[in-house]
């Protein structure tokens, strides 16, 4: 079965990454490529690393253009997917890379995204308990944010095993591509090179309610989240350092066993050998997440460190992974756990 696939927002970073992966997917034929202000221009003006598609002309992002495809990926700014997807009823599968349908709490969405909540779609993080079964029958999928992807997967084994107290502290370092392609003065090379800065602090980052939502589902009750993202002078990648208190009865062996059991059958989440710590360079361009833990038994505190490529496992790779699940392809079709080095 060959799927005809459209990408809305093909001129952006997420759209370009989806296309890079789809070019290596044996069950996909790439259909319409759309954009907003860039419509009418060749894709090669924006994605020169995709020579196979360089001469394709970007079309306007309209329901008429996107209808007739088997799968539509929406790689659009937050708030743009809701209205568009309402006119795509005839498309069998729509996967939204934005935030429009991630949150179940309408008030949290309105507070962090300054708009009306459009509803909630099945959540596209296959590694969560029971999520693959839910995704197999889904027609609409909301991808997680890049930060919630790595933090949730880093802490899921501990919360699933009932070993964590319900409060976490996260500091996550990220590259500039997470902010998208729109020109912003604080992301200019001269502003970023040789500098690192915290932003979205004190609960203001848009991914904070999503982190609370995910961890609460794993813990079976509310979880306090302190989340501080840090912008670093690199293009892609996230390194998340997650701290949590471990319950009194848990031993270091219990913790390691929980992580080993949770990751053993996951094709894209790799628990590293003890003593080896994740790096963003090792997962560059791959759909892999590297994970490691350290346990301070005296203070009963676990540090879980995860690394992903924010554009691949954090967005586009996860999107293709979800598509594979829905269409019963092997989950790793068109995807790799092999990074690019140096």
């Amino acid at each position: 079965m060959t799927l005809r696939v459209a990408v809305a927002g093909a001129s952006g970073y997420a759209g370009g990454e989806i296309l890079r992966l789809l070019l290596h997917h044996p069950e996909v034929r790439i259909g319409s490529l759309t954009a907003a202000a860039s419509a009418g221009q060749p894709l090669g003006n924006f994605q020169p690393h995709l020579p196979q598609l360089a001469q394709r002309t970007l079309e306007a992002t309209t329901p008429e253009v996107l209808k007739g495809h088997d799968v539509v990926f929406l790689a659009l700014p937050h708030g743009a997917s809701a209205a568009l997807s309402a006119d795509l009823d005839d498309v069998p599968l729509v996967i939204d890379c934005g935030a429009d349908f991630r949150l179940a709490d309408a008030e949290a969405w309105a507070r962090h995204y300054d708009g009306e909540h459009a509803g909630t779609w099945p959540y596209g993080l296959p590694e969560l308990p029971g999520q693959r079964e839910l995704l197999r029958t889904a027609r609409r999928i909301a991808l997680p944010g890049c930060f919630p992807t790595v933090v949730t997967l880093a802490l899921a084994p501990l919360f699933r095993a009932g070993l964590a107290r319900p409060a976490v502290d996260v500091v996550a370092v990220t590259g500039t591509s997470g902010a998208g392609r729109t020109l912003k003065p604080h992301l200019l090379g001269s502003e970023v090179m040789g500098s690192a800065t915290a932003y979205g602090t004190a609960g203001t980052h848009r991914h904070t309610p999503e982190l609370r939502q995910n961890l609460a589902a794993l813990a079976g009750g509310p979880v306090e989240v302190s989340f501080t993202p840090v912008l670093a002078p690199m293009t892609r990648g996230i390194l998340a350092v997650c701290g949590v208190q471990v319950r009194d009865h848990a031993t270091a062996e219990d913790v390691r066993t929980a992580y080993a059991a949770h990751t053993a059958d996951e094709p894209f989440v790799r628990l590293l050998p003890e003593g080896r710590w994740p790096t963003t360079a090792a997962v560059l361009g791959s759909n892999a997440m590297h994970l490691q833990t350290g346990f301070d038994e005296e203070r009963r505190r676990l540090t879980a460190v995860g690394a992903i490529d924010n554009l691949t496992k954090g967005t586009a790779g996860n999107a293709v992974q979800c598509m594979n699940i829905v269409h019963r392809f092997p989950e790793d079709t068109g995807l790799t756990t092999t990074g690019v080095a140096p």
Side-chain angles (χ1 to χ4, degrees), residues 258-330:
Y259 272 85
H262 184 83
T263 58
D265 297 322
E266 288 298 341
F268 297 113
V269 182
R270 183 188 178 202
L271 180 63
L272 299 181
E274 292 191 63
R276 186 186 303 170
W277 291 90
T279 66
T280 56
V283 295
L284 183 67
S286 81
N287 199 50
M289 171 171 163
H290 287 183
L291 176 61
Q292 185 58 277
T293 64
F295 185 31
D296 183 341
E297 291 194 74
E298 181 179 351
R299 294 173 177 79
R300 311 296 304 163
R301 189 162 183 83
L302 178 93
T303 300
V305 179
I308 63 170
D309 185 323
N310 59 295
L311 291 179
T312 317
K313 182 56 178 168
T315 309
N318 208 34
V320 173
Q321 187 179 344
C322 288
M323 180 188 73
N324 288 341
I325 290 171
V326 171
H327 285 281
R328 307 299 199 273
F329 301 141

Side-chain angles (χ1 to χ4, degrees), residues 18-314:
I18 291 171
L19 290 171
R20 182 179 74 87
L21 299 175
L22 292 180
L23 283 168
H24 299 284
H25 197 296
E27 306 296 340
V28 161
R29 179 165 63 91
I30 296 174
S32 295
L33 310 179
T34 80
S38 307
Q41 299 187 54
L43 181 72
N45 287 1
F46 306 93
Q47 313 291 5
H49 63 298
L50 305 177
Q52 306 94 317
L53 302 171
Q55 300 307 313
R56 295 280 298 274
T57 299
L58 291 165
E59 302 177 76
T61 302
T62 67
E64 291 72 27
V65 170
L66 296 173
K67 288 177 180 177
H69 292 83
D70 300 301
V71 183
V72 171
F73 291 101
L74 302 178
L76 303 173
H78 301 316
S81 296
L84 180 63
S85 64
D87 293 322
L88 298 178
D89 289 344
D90 293 337
V91 177
L93 178 61
V94 178
I95 299 178
D96 183 24
C97 299
D100 292 22
F101 301 99
R102 291 172 185 163
L103 297 181
D105 186 335
E107 290 185 8
W109 201 95
R111 185 166 60 252
H112 285 269
Y113 291 96
D114 301 320
E116 185 177 348
H117 187 233
T120 307
W121 287 357
Y123 194 67
L125 191 56
E127 292 85 0
L128 290 179
Q131 209 63 17
R132 284 184 173 89
E133 290 72 19
L134 179 64
L135 292 173
R136 285 191 183 101
T137 58
R139 296 186 66 248
R140 300 291 181 266
I141 295 174
L143 291 186
C146 52
F147 287 121
T149 295
V150 62
V151 174
T152 301
L153 296 181
L155 293 173
L158 201 68
F159 279 104
R160 283 195 72 190
L163 301 179
R165 296 191 180 278
V168 302
D169 296 291
V170 178
V171 176
V173 178
T174 187
T176 56
S177 61
R181 196 164 209 154
T182 303
L183 293 177
K184 302 178 180 73
H186 72 285
L187 296 177
L188 293 173
S190 57
E191 300 292 334
V192 174
M193 289 186 295
S195 179
T197 182
Y199 68 100
T201 61
T204 61
H205 193 278
R206 289 173 165 179
H207 288 173
T208 302
E210 191 178 345
L211 288 169
R212 292 195 186 105
Q213 173 179 281
N214 293 358
L215 296 177
L218 289 162
V223 176
E224 294 180 12
V225 175
S226 173
F227 172 51
T228 304
V230 176
L231 183 67
M234 60 185 187
T235 302
R236 356 182 359 152
I238 295 176
L239 185 78
V241 181
C242 314
V244 60
Q245 291 295 124
V246 174
R247 296 191 182 276
D248 292 341
H249 67 274
T251 66
E253 184 179 355
D254 292 335
V255 171
R256 192 69 185 180
T257 298
Y259 272 85
H262 184 83
T263 58
D265 297 322
E266 288 298 341
F268 297 113
V269 182
R270 183 188 178 202
L271 180 63
L272 299 181
E274 292 191 63
R276 186 186 303 170
W277 291 90
T279 66
T280 56
V283 295
L284 183 67
S286 81
N287 199 50
M289 171 171 163
H290 287 183
L291 176 61
Q292 185 58 277
T293 64
F295 185 31
D296 183 341
E297 291 194 74
E298 181 179 351
R299 294 173 177 79
R300 311 296 304 163
R301 189 162 183 83
L302 178 93
T303 300
V305 179
I308 63 170
D309 185 323
N310 59 295
L311 291 179
T312 317
K313 182 56 178 168

